[in-house]
Amino acid sequence: GAGVSQTPSNKVTEKGKYVELRCDPISGHTALYWYRQSLGQGPEFLIYFQGTGAADDSGLPNDRFFAVRPEGSVSTLKIQRTERGDSAVYLCASSLGRTGVDTQYFGPGTRLTVL
Amino acid sequence: LAKTTQPISMDSYEGQEVNITCSHNNIATNDYITWYQQFPSQGPRFIIQGYKTKVTNEVASLFIPADRKSSTLSLPRVSLSDTAVYYCLVGDTFAGKSTFGDGTTLTVKP
């Protein structure tokens, strides 16, 4: 079956530009997560949605980062005024969003390079 | 979320059993233990999850002692394709947020 998909797979932009990264979760998954992964490090939590609402956005580094999930399915991570330090792989995951055992399924990621 | 500690790297040879141990001294009552595998240029992939004692699936076993302050991922008869980074996570999965450490880089040699 279809897994989590992310577009684009690669994004190169210039410092100061605005970018949008898209995540299509597995159908029926109510929970959606965004992570950021720098080279040689584990994924770093950014934000978690349960349905349409952001249940936990404590990982967003600053107000340049924003994410939406207007219909409870597709999500978009938006980064304003990009900086070179934003360069990383941005991972999206989805899960059924249930208590106890709730496995997250990850997409392949979007590699963002800010020049 | 409970902090986890695991070895930075491990080497093994094809056909051997590999055991990767993760320490999580501050694990809470509601916390589950989950292991993920990540290959280069891919997102992490779920391997196994458990709460206590032993869990086994088609790819791995997870051993959790009674005090739950550590856990051991066991990969039987590894192959070259098992070369990857392995992450141990501890938390209440419904809490949403998952805290990954830097993982254990396993290198399987021929």
Side-chain angles (χ1 to χ4, degrees), chain A residues 66-93:
Chain A
F66 189 71
V68 296
R69 195 185 185 201
E71 298 179 356
S73 178
V74 171
S75 176
T76 304
L77 178 66
K78 308 179 181 190
I79 310 174
Q80 298 177 324
R81 305 182 304 281
T82 52
E83 300 177 357
R84 293 195 179 87
D86 298 335
S87 296
V89 175
Y90 288 81
L91 295 164
C92 175

Side-chain angles (χ1 to χ4, degrees), chain A:
Chain A
V4 177
S5 63
Q6 293 186 245
T7 54
S9 55
N10 282 283
K11 176 70 176 178
V12 179
T13 190
E14 295 179 342
K15 180 175 179 293
K17 299 291 187 182
Y18 168 84
V19 297
E20 290 189 352
L21 310 179
R22 176 187 169 107
C23 173
D24 282 81
I26 294 172
S27 178
H29 280 191
T30 62
L32 185 145
Y33 315 77
W34 284 98
Y35 295 85
R36 176 169 70 174
Q37 187 171 28
S38 300
L39 191 64
Q41 298 182 10
E44 172 193 9
F45 171 82
L46 296 177
I47 187 170
Y48 151 63
F49 287 89
Q50 184 65 251
T52 60
D56 184 347
D57 64 358
S58 61
L60 295 177
N62 51 59
D63 61 5
R64 295 187 298 106
F65 288 74
F66 189 71
V68 296
R69 195 185 185 201
E71 298 179 356
S73 178
V74 171
S75 176
T76 304
L77 178 66
K78 308 179 181 190
I79 310 174
Q80 298 177 324
R81 305 182 304 281
T82 52
E83 300 177 357
R84 293 195 179 87
D86 298 335
S87 296
V89 175
Y90 288 81
L91 295 164
C92 175
S94 70
S95 73
L96 289 169
R98 59 187 181 187
T99 56
V101 178
D102 189 39
T103 303
Q104 293 186 30
Y105 296 86
F106 284 80
T110 293
R111 181 174 299 279
L112 175 66
T113 302
V114 182
L115 301 176

